Amino acid sequence: QVQLAESGGGLVQVGGSLRLSCVASESLSSFIASDWYRQAPGKQREWLAVITDDGTMYADSVKGRFTISRDIAKNTVDLQMNSLKLEDTAVYYCSLQGSGVRHWGRGTQVTVSS
């Protein structure tokens, strides 16, 4: 089975930055796309960003502030988060889209405080 492990979450002040990383147990070349999602308490899961061989796309809520990237050699997908806002507080999940299944990590908590 595919294993995903997110790291880099933590407590950060409004306006600060944080870099999340996701390491996969298999090569990223085996997957169609790599995504980041988040879910805040009482809210539905929100798609944030995707990276494929064709490029990247972002949700309007994070466009211009977040950047998704990948390192094929290291089997990692990163999310650089800048200009953080209180509403960015959530559990952030890495997700890989396979041919017939989507794989999920356990998530990492990001808390933005004033």
Side-chain angles (χ1 to χ4, degrees):
Q1 72 278 34
V2 178
Q3 302 290 328
L4 301 177
E6 301 96 337
S7 63
L11 179 64
V12 64
Q13 294 185 38
V14 169
S17 298
L18 212 56
R19 189 177 185 89
L20 306 182
S21 184
C22 168
V23 60
S25 62
E26 297 182 13
S27 174
L28 298 182
S29 300
S30 302
F31 304 94
I32 300 171
S34 303
D35 298 80
W36 281 96
Y37 290 78
R38 70 185 179 190
Q39 187 166 30
K43 297 183 179 179
Q44 63 183 8
R45 184 178 59 208
E46 178 187 14
W47 172 82
L48 300 176
V50 61
I51 184 168
T52 68
D53 291 345
D54 296 327
T56 60
M57 293 190 294
Y58 299 90
D60 289 341
S61 60
V62 303
K63 188 175 298 182
R65 299 189 299 122
F66 291 11
T67 302
I68 188 171
S69 62
R70 65 181 181 181
D71 189 325
I72 301 297
K74 296 180 179 179
N75 284 6
T76 57
V77 183
D78 289 3
L79 185 68
Q80 177 66 48
M81 306 186 295
N82 299 326
S83 302
L84 285 163
K85 307 173 180 179
L86 289 176
E87 52 263 43
D88 292 323
T89 295
V91 177
Y92 284 70
Y93 298 92
C94 175
S95 181
L96 302 182
Q97 180 63 58
S99 296
V101 63
R102 179 171 285 278
H103 306 278
W104 297 90
R106 291 292 189 90
T108 185
Q109 176 71 48
V110 172
T111 302
V112 184
S113 68
S114 60

